Amino acid sequence: MTSPGAFTELRASVADTARQVAARGLVLGSAGNVSARDGDVVAVTATGVHLIDATVDDITVVDLDGQLIEGALRPTTELEMHLGIYRSTANTSVVHAHSTSAVALSLVTDELPPVHYQQLLLGGAIPVVPFAAFGSEQLATSTVEALAHHNAAILAHHGSVAVGQSPTEALDRIVLLEWLCEVYLRAAAVRQPRALTPADLQSVIEMAIATQYGEKRRV
């Protein structure tokens, strides 16, 4: 048995990330959801919650089988997608958004090709998961499969999802994905966007390793 409020810190981190997702314009109203895992426990936004106003009380705690541990509200209808990701990967955070550019891109292509080298942070070319009804087993399964080798995916006619080792990392990745989708769409309005080649991406990887790219270093 756990004591009341044992997961307050975990729930607070999910609520904070949910508010940030909304503040960045990645969701409307009660659309989208956020979760974080700590061991065999998952804190996730409840269904019907407007993310911009999310509080600790709007976060439900369940186990990996979806059984309620703490909270008074039903978890998001996308719970099985979150739990499926946690069961099959080592990620500890998931952010799902209904962002404009990701949805728009999903209507015109089956994949976001690598249009910028930062896309390597997401796993390269990003798949568009075929449409399935929200909350369905089919959508959960397809999304988990898409994330087997990627840190983000686009859901056709629906939105986007990103994973990470913390809520902040998952949020950063879904923001990056939205930016990449916007870049692609702007370019596509002029002509077919050019994609980076495998050789281009390999050169970026080698340079990043050689320069310790992204790490703070003293002069």
Side-chain angles (χ1 to χ4, degrees), residues 60-126:
T60 302
V61 181
V62 299
D63 63 20
L64 290 175
D65 293 321
Q67 297 300 309
L68 179 67
I69 296 177
E70 186 173 283
L73 302 175
R74 287 190 179 186
T76 172
T77 52
E78 300 287 13
L79 177 62
E80 191 53 40
M81 180 174 71
H82 289 255
L83 296 181
I85 292 170
Y86 292 134
R87 294 187 197 114
S88 61
T89 74
N91 291 292
T92 60
S93 295
V94 177
V95 172
H96 167 44
H98 288 189
S99 47
T100 303
S101 295
V103 173
L105 183 140
S106 80
L107 308 182
V108 297
T109 184
D110 294 326
E111 178 184 80
L112 172 63
V115 293
H116 190 281
Y117 64 82
Q118 278 192 294
Q119 201 163 327
L120 284 167
L121 297 173
L122 304 181
I126 303 301

Side-chain angles (χ1 to χ4, degrees), residues 21 118 168 211:
V21 170
Q118 278 192 294
T168 297
T211 62

Side-chain angles (χ1 to χ4, degrees), residues 1-16:
M1 293 290 291
T2 57
S3 60
F7 306 106
T8 299
E9 185 175 345
L10 184 65
R11 295 170 77 184
S13 70
V14 171
D16 178 65

Side-chain angles (χ1 to χ4, degrees), residues 80-81 84 88 129 132 136-147:
E80 191 53 40
M81 180 174 71
S88 61
V129 176
S136 66
E137 181 179 349
Q138 181 182 352
L139 179 61
T141 299
S142 298
T143 303
V144 170
E145 291 175 352
L147 292 170

Side-chain angles (χ1 to χ4, degrees), residues 1 3 38 47 55 61 66 102 113 123 127 154 173 181 192 214 216-217:
M1 293 290 291
S3 60
D38 184 2
T47 188
T55 68
V61 181
I154 300 166
R173 285 172 172 172
C181 289
Q192 181 65 32
K216 289 183 178 180
R217 291 178 292 157

